[in-house]
Amino acid sequence: MLSEEKYGLLENELPFLGLANNDMKQKIIQHGSLAKVPKGTVIFDEGSECNTLAVIITGKIRVYKLGESGKEITIYRIYEGESCILTISAILSNLTFPATAVAEEETEALILPADVFKELVNKDEAWRNYTFGLVNKRLANIITVVETVAFKRMDERIAEFLLKKSEAEPDGINITHQKIADELGTHREVISRILKEFEKLELIKLSRNRIEIINRNELLSKVKHIA
Amino acid sequence: MLSEEKYGLLENELPFLGLANNDMKQKIIQHGSLAKVPKGTVIFDEGSECNTLAVIITGKIRVYKLGESGKEITIYRIYEGESCILTISAILSNLTFPATAVAEEETEALILPADVFKELVNKDEAWRNYTFGLVNKRLANIITVVETVAFKRMDERIAEFLLKKSEAEPDGINITHQKIADELGTHREVISRILKEFEKLELIKLSRNRIEIINRNELLSKVKHIA
DNA sequence: CCGTGTCAGTGATAATGTTACAAAACTAAG
DNA sequence: CTTAGTTTTGTAACATTATCACTGACACGG
């Protein structure tokens, strides 16, 4: 149960809530709740039943697949204002969650019971648009993952990863090799080896927990497969 | 434009059409059409704009990604009564189609303009259920593909493929190595090599365009990763 | 300063990707 | 029934990635 004021505040963070019709607003106020989970919390595990849907207000969630030997691959991330289509899919078809979801930061979310969500999708166009919008984004994500894993070489993928990361951390990326491996679905050794090569080529500079890009252009050319 | 009788016939093949409300039926009759495409027709190409949605009446469509050097990987197939969520996704978000779709058999389909489909999804619960049901199936498909490509060994994947194929063709699978490679996202040589090994282990018998399974149990144990 | 855990480096071997070519099996035309 | 052309398969050789098994480096609390 939320308060009217809370709902008002949420509308700032989740603009599509403002588009919902009044009946639905009341539903959300009546049956919704807020939850805050600390960094590292496993939200869903492979095979979990989904009887609630979370809409992220602040924070970030990583959804990944676990392979045998502890290998992982990230499928996508859920950011503010989004929610998890795998959960939606699981709810709407009464299946279990086919992956693992973990909070990468402290994450705050609006929690809705599954049947409330079902009703929202059926009766409220704003929610439908929201839901289909998410489906689109995720599908695109996942297709990209398939393409990448199936066709691209690891050095290219690592270069791409570093360049993307460097946008958020322009003066040095703080990350372990293991994290990169989990991201890309390979082993730490492979990452270490290729990073070492990059260092020999003077594209990057390595230290513990840290990677500095020193030749951005050359790294870019790896991605574009020119070199 | 369809006739009322045609619509009646379609209801047999596409049961959910019978659940649509009357307004929507009229919409479909008015704006829908039928199309038949021969085997091998490329229906969508990477980057195609989607302004119609096809619901398959008979036939089969393969949706795959093309990599550089002509490598392919199958993402999923569309069978009778289904339609393509990538098209749906492209329509609902005004994006282009992110893969290639080709008719594997002569395929007959009900064609709906994009805006009619949008309206159907918004106004008709039967269509919404149909659409979400498809989304679920495909998501599960695609996640499985990611998992498989990222974590499984090629011999296991080939064994699995052969066993699945053998259900439809119990006394010998008729297929080329290249087709298998396109299915699994690898090169023909890799398939040939591993099939040859399987033959040496007396799991299968190879001839041109043909694979016979002669030790089903051992092949199964490859899949289950016991051996 | 010393353990203990986390992180990175590296060698060895197997599996898969990639390139290149040739042999074999089929097809169709003469 | 041959011959030429096409499709399918075999295989060698080398590159890249996966996998296993360590060692060494660093960080932090005691």
Side-chain angles (χ1 to χ4, degrees), chain B residues 9 29 38-39 61 73 77-78 89 99-100 102 108 150 154 160 178-179 192 203 207 220:
Chain B
L9 288 174
I29 288 173
K39 182 173 170 175
I61 290 175
I73 185 167
R77 286 192 167 72
I78 312 169
S89 170
T100 309
V102 69
E108 200 183 4
M154 199 44 80
E160 195 177 346
Q178 184 60 59
K179 288 252 179 193
S192 294
L203 306 181
S207 45
L220 247 168

Side-chain angles (χ1 to χ4, degrees), chain B residues 100-117:
Chain B
T100 309
V102 69
E104 279 195 318
E105 301 172 359
E106 184 182 64
T107 294
E108 200 183 4
L110 166 63
I111 307 292
L112 295 174
D115 51 343
V116 171
F117 172 71

Side-chain angles (χ1 to χ4, degrees), chain B residues 8-225:
Chain B
L9 288 174
L10 281 181
E11 283 185 356
N12 294 328
E13 329 233 10
L14 311 174
F16 72 95
L17 285 181
L19 302 171
N21 68 48
N22 252 320
D23 274 11
M24 293 304 114
K25 280 190 189 177
Q26 291 308 320
K27 275 267 180 222
I28 297 171
I29 288 173
Q30 210 175 342
H31 297 103
S33 60
L34 294 178
K36 188 178 269 189
V37 298
K39 182 173 170 175
T41 310
V42 173
I43 297 165
F44 284 119
D45 230 336
E46 184 110 26
S48 295
E49 288 196 19
C50 304
N51 27 42
T52 57
L53 177 72
V55 182
I56 308 304
I57 301 166
T58 61
K60 183 163 61 166
I61 290 175
R62 180 168 83 103
V63 176
Y64 60 95
K65 260 284 185 189
L66 265 173
E68 347 82 273
S69 60
K71 220 161 100 175
E72 302 182 1
I73 185 167
T74 299
I75 301 175
Y76 60 84
R77 286 192 167 72
I78 312 169
Y79 297 98
E80 292 155 29
E82 302 178 339
S83 57
C84 176
I85 49 158
L86 287 179
T87 310
I88 293 174
S89 170
I91 287 175
L92 294 174
S93 59
N94 293 312
L95 297 172
T96 58
F97 195 71
T100 309
V102 69
E104 279 195 318
E105 301 172 359
E106 184 182 64
T107 294
E108 200 183 4
L110 166 63
I111 307 292
L112 295 174
D115 51 343
V116 171
F117 172 71
K118 281 190 195 179
E119 197 180 341
L120 287 171
V121 169
N122 261 315
K123 298 202 179 149
D124 191 296
E125 187 167 356
W127 274 88
R128 262 199 303 279
N129 289 338
Y130 169 74
T131 304
F132 277 115
L134 282 176
V135 168
N136 295 334
K137 264 199 214 174
R138 293 317 169 223
L139 272 177
N141 278 347
I142 303 181
I143 298 264
T144 303
V145 171
V146 171
E147 185 182 13
T148 302
V149 174
F151 299 137
K152 289 196 180 169
R153 292 186 18 179
M154 199 44 80
D155 55 351
E156 185 179 347
R157 294 175 61 197
I158 294 176
E160 195 177 346
F161 178 84
L162 293 178
L163 288 166
K164 188 152 63 179
K165 270 287 176 190
S166 72
E167 288 169 19
E169 301 175 272
D171 35 58
I173 303 160
N174 294 303
I175 196 171
T176 67
H177 298 181
Q178 184 60 59
K179 288 252 179 193
I180 302 178
D182 291 346
E183 199 64 29
L184 303 182
T186 183
H187 284 183
R188 203 245 337 141
E189 293 84 336
V190 176
I191 303 291
S192 294
R193 195 157 35 196
I194 294 175
L195 286 178
K196 211 64 196 164
E197 275 172 36
F198 283 1
E199 191 176 40
K200 273 183 197 148
L201 295 170
E202 303 193 326
L203 306 181
I204 58 174
K205 191 158 166 298
L206 294 174
S207 45
R208 187 187 174 91
N209 265 315
R210 188 172 176 76
I211 302 169
E212 276 178 76
I213 296 177
I214 56 184
N215 189 335
R216 189 180 198 79
N217 285 337
E218 272 299 313
L219 208 56
L220 247 168
S221 79
K222 288 256 171 206
V223 173
K224 292 182 177 166
H225 221 76

Side-chain angles (χ1 to χ4, degrees), chain A residues 42 44-46 62-75 98-101 182, chain B residues 147 150-151:
Chain A
V42 173
F44 284 118
D45 230 337
E46 183 109 26
R62 180 169 82 103
V63 177
Y64 60 95
K65 261 287 184 187
L66 267 172
E68 345 83 90
S69 62
K71 221 161 101 176
E72 300 182 2
I73 185 167
T74 299
I75 301 175
T100 309
D182 291 346
Chain B
E147 185 182 13
F151 299 137

